[in-house]
């Protein structure tokens, strides 16, 4: 059993839920799926491919979103396996995704990731202007890249004030994106520790790992 049902109850339909299954085995994914979870989130391309069956062999309706930083040389491998890329963070990456989609003759839904906390170690577009130039670039030159919205990871730690500031900034950026992009319907923010705050700022999608699957067993550092 996972805690998907209780999380789902608490979220109460206010946002969709990405069940973040990184570092947990496929058996846990199947348990959550049997409890009603449909969308799963993975950070790494290789782990996603090792864990999940290919798209056409998955249980009915099961989707996998890539939520971790994507290197350009892994774009093809990512596109073969995932249903959405939520962590698009640069124009060179956008160009690579467009090129591979063209070669594969597919379209892909994406979110543009915003570094709303300004923390160095975080990925995502660094400024609103850079993210909006990514939007413009996609609209003008990348017909196979479908913008579904904006994603952010809140600041480290549990400073509620900082969380609110980051979510507020991201929400107003999302509003700007939405004005320019009819396909944008997703503001992805909020994780196990801060999703209730994120909902106050209009999040439409929360990405929840620990609260559903428990603590992750990270491999021991040598
Ligand atoms: C791991 C991860 C999550 C889930 O974090 P929890 O705190 O375990 O809920 C959400 N989003 C991203 C991008 C992550 O890497």
């Amino acid at each position: 059993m996972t805690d998907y049902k209780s999380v789902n109850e608490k979220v109460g339909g206010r946002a969709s839920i990405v069940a973040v299954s990184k570092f947990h085995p496929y058996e846990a994914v199947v348990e959550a799926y049997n409890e009603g979870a449909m969308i799963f989130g993975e950070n790494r391309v290789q782990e996603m491919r090792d864990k999940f069956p290919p798209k056409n062999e998955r249980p009915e309706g099961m989707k996998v979103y890539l939520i971790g930083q994507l290197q350009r040389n892994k774009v093809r491998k990512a596109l073969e396996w995932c249903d959405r890329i939520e962590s698009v963070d640069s124009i060179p990456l956008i160009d690579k995704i467009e090129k591979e989609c063209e070669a594969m003759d597919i379209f892909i839904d994406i979110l543009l990731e915003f570094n709303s906390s300004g923390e160095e170690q975080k990925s995502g577009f660094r400024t609103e202007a850079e993210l909006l130039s990514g939007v413009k670039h996609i609209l003008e030159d990348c017909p196979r890249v479908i913008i579904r919205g904006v994603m952010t990871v809140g600041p480290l730690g549990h400073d509620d004030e900082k969380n609110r500031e980051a979510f507020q900034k991201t929400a107003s950026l999302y509003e700007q994106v939405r004005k320019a992009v009819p396909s944008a319907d997703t503001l992805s923010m909020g994780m196990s520790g801060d999703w209730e705050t994120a909902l106050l700022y209009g999040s439409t999608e929360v990405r929840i790992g620990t609260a559903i699957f428990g603590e992750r067993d990270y491999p021991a550092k040598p």
Side-chain angles (χ1 to χ4, degrees), residues 20 22 43 67 151 153 191-193 207-211 216:
V20 178
K22 65 187 181 201
N43 259 38
I67 60 172
M151 184 273 258
V153 175
M191 316 189 348
S192 294
R207 305 177 312 273
I208 300 186
T210 310
R216 290 179 280 273

